[in-house]
Amino acid sequence: MDITLHTTFLPHTDPEASLRFYRDLLGFELTQDVGQGAMRWLTFVAPTQPDVRLVLTPPVADPGVTDDERRTVVELMAKGVYQSIILATKDLDGAFARLQAADAEVVSEPTDQPWGVRDCAFRDPAGNMVRIDQVA
């Protein structure tokens, strides 16, 4: 069996703020921008990993979700407990400094974790938890 990670999804609440965060601060390349207004699907790839896509989606675009359910999801997003992603870099301190200088919301400064990684954490503009691991 040959299975690889191909696409993952995170919700967004402000596509322009998400563009600035993922493209301008983290260095992802925007490969698709579909939709209009807040109902946009933004697809990114890392320059060194173009076969793995990160798609930012409107929160709960499913028409079967009630307004109350949608509101609950957006509230969980704002708390940073709804979705998360773990990224990796060879320069954790540099990535942290760049994000901090851009006023990204810091959750955790670079720290040696008891589970064996050194990482830091931010919230993206929608509240998603973005952890960044140091890799060799």
Side-chain angles (χ1 to χ4, degrees), residues 73-126:
V73 167
V74 171
E75 289 171 359
L76 291 172
M77 289 170 60
K79 291 181 177 181
V81 297
Y82 185 67
Q83 292 288 335
S84 63
I85 190 167
I86 300 176
L87 306 174
T89 182
K90 293 179 180 177
D91 181 14
L92 181 66
D93 293 318
F96 179 82
R98 192 162 86 200
L99 287 162
Q100 186 179 40
D103 292 327
E105 184 180 347
V106 176
V107 176
S108 171
E109 295 187 3
T111 304
D112 292 323
Q113 300 292 350
W115 54 87
V117 300
R118 183 166 187 269
D119 72 354
C120 66
F122 291 86
R123 281 193 175 73
D124 77 5

Side-chain angles (χ1 to χ4, degrees), residues 8-68:
T8 190
F9 296 85
L10 286 176
H12 73 71
T13 53
D14 180 339
E16 293 303 322
S18 293
L19 272 171
R20 287 189 295 276
F21 186 82
Y22 286 94
R23 183 191 59 201
D24 302 342
L25 293 179
L26 292 176
F28 282 86
E29 294 175 1
L30 180 69
T31 61
Q32 286 186 304
D33 185 345
V34 178
Q36 61 182 343
M39 295 300 284
R40 287 166 60 190
W41 284 255
L42 306 170
T43 302
F44 296 93
V45 298
T48 57
Q49 203 173 26
D51 56 340
V52 179
R53 300 181 305 177
L54 169 61
V55 182
L56 299 182
T57 67
V60 194
D62 185 333
V65 174
T66 68
D67 288 343
D68 284 344

